[in-house]
């Protein structure tokens, strides 16, 4: 194609966004700026099914000055000049569809993630590999600008539509004066926030950082050794986050228990063996999550925190004078009540459950006005069971299982770090609540008894590494655990 014919083509811009992110606003800004510049412009949009089950796309064609081209209603693979994506997997969608061309396309994408339904419903870690998407973007696009535009938007009190627009301006691809592009933002408080977001994204794309005053350097004061300072440097950050989580969950004594357990594991690991350090890091993460298991008290506490209501207000874009009413759906079961009560009482309730009797008034769903006086106080009462947690039935069970897992890790970290790395991931089966949790616990116990315990007692635990990983993958493959049954049956047959 000649240079002359290239110049006669319209500028073709494709926007991939999610519902509620302001993709339509972004499209209107671009169209308004093009119109103000005297360009002929055409725009179309295709709405998605919902906020994360289908993306919303907007397609814009802007004619060169003095031309009257025939413009298309939809993008063609390999014939898009600019792709704007509000989220990393939205960029992947555009690349998969062929809209990103190494000959032609500038890709501008935010690196934040809003996980898709297909990612969240996986029993294991179903997330897409962000690094692969980034590598593909750099390989497939002629030019790529990848920044966390969502974080920039939040820092400046605006929406990602503004930072996407700023990134587009910063790329220099719009063929008219910058002042004309900014004029379409309008005036008022919302426009001021949009302008801040636009300018922040422009700086990010252009590689410019606002000048920051040099920090003052106070006189150095010797610090007391921190609770994670004795751990290998590779896991200190994870350990620090774990301590913070457990401080919030149950207090200082419980956080110290976490640190003591990590110290036991660290003492067993060879600090020069990268496999042992990997296992240690995974164990630190899984241990923190396991110790902060969700029970009735935890759920009630999280549902009544001020920051939760503030987040809901922000997400609903509420203004002064509007009334917020939050209604939660709860369906408590006798097992969940037994879990948070003292061991003796909890066991008596569970005996009733096993006899099919349960407890009155439970098992039926209720709608609770969480930020109303009655609903809030009821949830705070339930959150108060946190004080009983160390004497509760579930606490006793969880701590016993943790200690058994810890003992297996301590035994295998020095001589079988590969097996220890797989074992460190085993608690991922213990997640969710209600029937999901019950299935996960059954799978965990079966794998621990039939694979972990014999391997730890045997002469070569490392030989069971692949078997353990296969069993965990089978347990997360389906709710019925048919694949796990087959896996364990094959293991028994081989023995």
């Amino acid at each position: 194609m000649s240079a002359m014919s290239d110049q006669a083509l319209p500028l073709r811009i494709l926007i991939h966004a999610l519902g509620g992110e302001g993709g339509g606003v972004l499209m209107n800004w671009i169209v308004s700026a093009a119109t103000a510049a005297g360009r002929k412009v055409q725009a179309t949009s295709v709405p998605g099914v919902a906020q994360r089950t289908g993306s919303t796309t907007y397609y814009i064609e802007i004619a060169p000055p003095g031309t009257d081209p025939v413009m298309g209603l939809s993008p063609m693979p390999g014939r898009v000049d600019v792709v704007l994506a509000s989220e990393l997997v939205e960029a992947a969608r555009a690349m998969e569809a062929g809209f990103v061309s190494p000959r032609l396309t500038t890709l501008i994408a935010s690196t934040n993630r809003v996980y898709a339904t297909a990612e969240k419903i996986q029993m294991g870690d179903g997330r897409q590999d962000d690094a692969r998407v980034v590598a593909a973007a750099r390989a497939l696009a002629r030019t790529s600008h990848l920044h966390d535009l969502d974080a920039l938007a939040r820092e400046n009190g605006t929406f990602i539509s503004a930072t996407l627009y700023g990134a587009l301006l910063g790329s220099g691809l719009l063929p008219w004066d910058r002042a004309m592009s900014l004029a379409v933002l309008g005036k008022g408080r919302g426009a001021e926030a949009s302008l801040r977001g636009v300018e922040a994204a422009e700086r990010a794309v252009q590689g410019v950082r606002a000048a920051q005053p040099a920090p003052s350097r106070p006189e150095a004061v010797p610090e007391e050794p921190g609770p994670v300072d004795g751990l290998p440097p590779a896991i200190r950050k994870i350990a620090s986050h774990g301590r913070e989580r457990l401080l919030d969950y149950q207090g200082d004594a419980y956080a110290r228990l976490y640190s003591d357990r990590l110290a036991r594991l660290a003492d067993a690991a060879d600090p020069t063996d990268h496999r042992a350090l990997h296992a240690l890091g995974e164990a630190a993460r899984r241990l923190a999550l396991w110790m902060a298991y969700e029970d009735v008290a935890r759920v009630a506490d999280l549902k009544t925190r001020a920051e939760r209501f503030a987040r809901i207000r922000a997400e609903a874009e509420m203004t002064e004078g509007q009334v917020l009413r939050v209604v939660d759906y709860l369906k408590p079961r006798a097992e969940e009540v037994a879990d948070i009560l003292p061991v003796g009482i909890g066991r008596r309730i569970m005996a009733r459950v096993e006899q099919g009797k349960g407890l009155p008034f439970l098992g039926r769903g209720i709608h609770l006005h969480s930020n109303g006086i009655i609903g809030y106080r009821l949830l705070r009462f339930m959150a108060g069971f946190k004080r009983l947690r160390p004497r509760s039935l579930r606490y006793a069970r969880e701590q016993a299982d943790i200690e058994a897992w810890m003992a297996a890790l301590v035994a295998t970290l020095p001589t079988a770090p590969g097996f220890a790395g797989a074992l460190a991931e085993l608690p991922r089966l213990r997640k969710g609540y209600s029937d999901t949790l019950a299935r996960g616990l059954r799978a965990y116990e079966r794998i621990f008894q039939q694979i972990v315990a014999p391997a730890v007692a045997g002469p070569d635990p490392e030989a069971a590494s692949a078997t353990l990983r296969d069993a965990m993958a089978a347990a997360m493959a389906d709710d019925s655990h048919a694949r796990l049954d087959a896996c364990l049956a094959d293991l028994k047959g081989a023995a």
Side-chain angles (χ1 to χ4, degrees):
M1 186 174 288
S2 68
M4 182 68 72
S5 59
D6 275 340
Q7 291 171 3
L9 291 173
L11 175 64
R12 296 155 295 194
I13 302 174
L14 175 62
I15 302 169
H16 269 252
L18 305 179
E21 290 186 329
V25 173
L26 174 59
M27 178 185 72
N28 291 338
W29 283 338
I30 297 171
V31 169
S32 297
T35 302
R39 303 297 184 93
K40 293 181 179 179
V41 59
Q42 177 172 279
T44 57
S45 63
V46 179
V49 178
Q51 287 206 351
R52 206 56 185 95
T53 57
S55 61
T56 299
T57 58
Y58 305 84
Y59 183 59
I60 306 166
E61 289 198 0
I62 303 168
T67 64
D68 191 17
V70 176
M71 293 190 282
L73 294 173
S74 59
M76 295 289 289
R79 298 184 64 183
V80 177
D81 300 290
V82 185
V83 171
L84 296 163
S86 67
E87 191 265 356
L88 198 57
V89 165
E90 288 306 310
R93 288 182 196 261
M95 289 186 284
E96 184 181 30
F99 295 127
V100 177
S101 161
R103 181 187 68 86
L104 186 66
T105 310
T106 295
L107 173 62
I108 298 171
S110 180
T111 56
N112 69 290
R113 287 303 324 281
V114 179
Y115 295 118
T117 303
E119 293 176 283
K120 292 188 286 187
I121 64 174
Q122 298 297 320
M123 296 184 69
D125 187 348
R127 294 174 297 174
Q128 296 292 325
D129 185 348
D130 294 357
R132 290 182 62 190
V133 179
V134 170
R138 301 201 187 285
L140 293 178
R142 186 183 70 173
T143 305
S144 59
H145 299 290
L146 308 176
H147 304 276
D148 191 344
L149 299 176
D150 179 65
L152 283 178
R154 285 185 277 106
E155 288 169 10
N156 290 280
T158 187
F159 298 94
I160 197 169
S161 53
T163 48
L164 280 167
Y165 190 50
L168 178 60
L169 267 60
S171 69
L173 294 169
L174 294 182
W176 50 76
D177 186 74
R178 177 179 181 273
M180 197 170 292
S181 295
L182 297 182
V184 302
L185 299 177
K187 296 181 179 180
R189 290 179 58 188
E192 292 172 4
S194 295
L195 179 59
R196 290 195 302 270
V198 167
E199 292 177 338
E202 279 187 288
R203 290 194 296 269
V205 168
Q206 294 168 353
V208 178
R209 295 291 179 267
Q212 299 290 332
S216 58
R217 301 189 63 172
E219 184 178 346
V221 178
E223 295 183 0
E224 292 292 328
V228 301
D229 287 348
L231 298 174
I235 71 161
R236 287 178 189 169
K237 185 175 181 179
I238 298 174
S240 180
H241 286 311
R243 273 190 55 85
E244 290 175 11
R245 187 184 189 95
L246 295 168
L247 276 168
D248 175 70
Y249 182 79
Q250 193 63 33
D252 186 63
Y254 201 52
R256 285 199 304 272
L257 175 60
Y258 171 72
S259 297
D260 292 343
R261 283 170 165 166
L262 278 191
R264 284 167 54 198
L265 294 177
D267 288 344
D270 180 354
T272 64
D273 187 332
H274 73 277
R275 293 184 303 164
L277 290 177
H278 170 77
L280 190 58
E282 185 64 22
R285 187 163 70 92
R286 294 293 171 186
L287 178 61
L289 294 171
W290 190 351
M291 290 179 67
Y293 62 86
E294 287 196 352
D295 54 17
V296 169
R298 179 65 168 176
V299 171
D301 179 37
L302 294 176
K303 285 185 177 294
T304 51
R305 294 196 176 187
E307 53 265 33
R308 181 196 182 213
F309 299 127
R311 186 183 69 251
I312 294 173
R313 284 183 176 277
E315 290 174 352
E317 301 177 34
M318 298 187 66
T319 59
E320 188 175 353
Q322 290 184 314
V323 177
L324 173 68
R325 179 182 174 88
V326 180
V327 178
D328 282 296
Y329 178 75
L330 305 176
K331 191 178 180 181
R333 304 189 312 158
E335 294 91 328
E336 292 162 352
V337 174
D339 279 347
I340 200 63
L341 292 175
V343 174
I345 301 174
R347 284 176 176 164
R348 286 197 289 273
I349 292 175
M350 290 304 299
R352 288 180 57 87
V353 170
E354 290 166 3
Q355 295 169 11
K357 297 179 180 179
L359 292 175
F361 309 113
L362 292 182
R364 291 176 293 179
I366 58 172
H367 290 86
L368 200 64
H369 182 188
S370 306
N371 63 334
I373 294 175
I374 296 176
Y376 180 83
R377 290 195 174 279
L378 178 59
L379 285 172
R380 289 313 305 167
F381 171 76
M382 293 164 61
F385 278 83
K386 169 182 176 179
R387 294 188 294 272
L388 296 178
R389 186 181 282 136
R391 300 191 297 277
S392 70
L393 176 63
R394 184 170 178 189
Y395 183 93
R397 289 200 307 251
E398 298 288 356
Q399 302 309 315
D401 287 351
I402 288 172
E403 286 300 322
W405 175 73
M406 288 275 302
L409 278 172
V410 168
T412 55
L413 270 169
T415 58
F419 179 84
L423 178 58
E425 297 180 27
L426 185 58
R428 64 197 292 206
L429 301 181
R430 308 173 68 108
K431 64 178 183 178
Y433 56 92
S434 190
D435 293 338
T436 301
L437 176 60
R439 285 193 297 269
L441 289 177
R442 286 196 296 271
Y444 177 94
E445 290 166 0
R446 293 174 67 193
I447 291 173
F448 198 92
Q449 292 169 5
Q450 297 183 46
I451 297 176
V452 175
V456 172
D460 184 15
E462 199 77 291
S465 301
T467 303
L468 177 55
R469 291 192 181 278
D470 288 346
M472 289 191 293
M476 291 184 289
D478 58 82
D479 289 345
S480 67
H481 287 164
R483 285 186 57 182
L484 177 61
D485 293 341
C487 178
L488 295 179
D490 290 345
L491 180 64
K492 186 176 181 180

